[in-house]
Amino acid sequence: MLEMTREEFEELVAEALDRIPPELTRLMDNVAVFVEDEPAADEPELLGIYEGTPLTERGEWYAGVLPDRITIYRGPTLRMCENREDVVGETEITVVHEIAHHFGIDDERLHALGYG
């Protein structure tokens, strides 16, 4: 398995977030991004997850709720990648994929766009 500290991986996630166009990040609302080492034991290959209510499903009832949560998992990403360049690319794809869920884009469309 490729070695990378938690801090190095967090920096890659931050860099991936910085590459999201500002016109999109301005539209993101009530969402927080986290890095965790491992997903739940029943999904050991999960690279990231979005938990919350997509912007497309929010209505007037949406107020006073905890932020949506995007979690990027370090362990599975490092296990599937052969080198740092692979980790950079996979991290960027995963970050974009989870942010797209925040905007209401489903997995089928993401796979068609190359963010599967």
Side-chain angles (χ1 to χ4, degrees), residues 13-59:
V13 171
E15 289 170 6
L17 287 166
D18 288 344
R19 286 190 288 279
I20 303 295
E23 53 271 15
L24 289 180
T25 57
R26 280 193 293 273
L27 297 173
M28 293 174 65
D29 181 48
N30 200 30
V31 61
V33 179
F34 299 91
V35 170
E36 298 289 341
D37 288 328
E38 295 293 337
D42 62 336
E43 296 189 86
E45 301 303 313
L46 189 65
L47 303 180
I49 190 166
Y50 168 76
E51 299 168 291
T53 304
L55 295 175
T56 54
E57 296 178 17
R58 295 179 185 179

Side-chain angles (χ1 to χ4, degrees), residues 6 20 50 52 74 79 111:
R6 172 85 176 250
I20 303 295
Y50 168 76
R74 179 175 151 268
R79 286 192 293 276
H111 284 276

Side-chain angles (χ1 to χ4, degrees), residues 9 13 16-17 20 33-34 45-50 70-74 76-77 80-81 86-101 110 114-116:
F9 189 77
V13 171
L17 287 166
I20 303 295
V33 179
F34 299 91
E45 301 303 313
L46 189 65
L47 303 180
I49 190 166
Y50 168 76
I70 291 173
T71 306
I72 309 298
Y73 297 106
R74 179 175 151 268
T77 304
M80 75 176 289
C81 294
D86 290 348
V87 175
V88 169
E90 195 58 52
T91 301
E92 186 167 320
I93 288 169
T94 304
V95 166
V96 169
H97 181 106
E98 302 310 331
I99 288 173
H101 286 318
L110 286 168
Y115 290 98

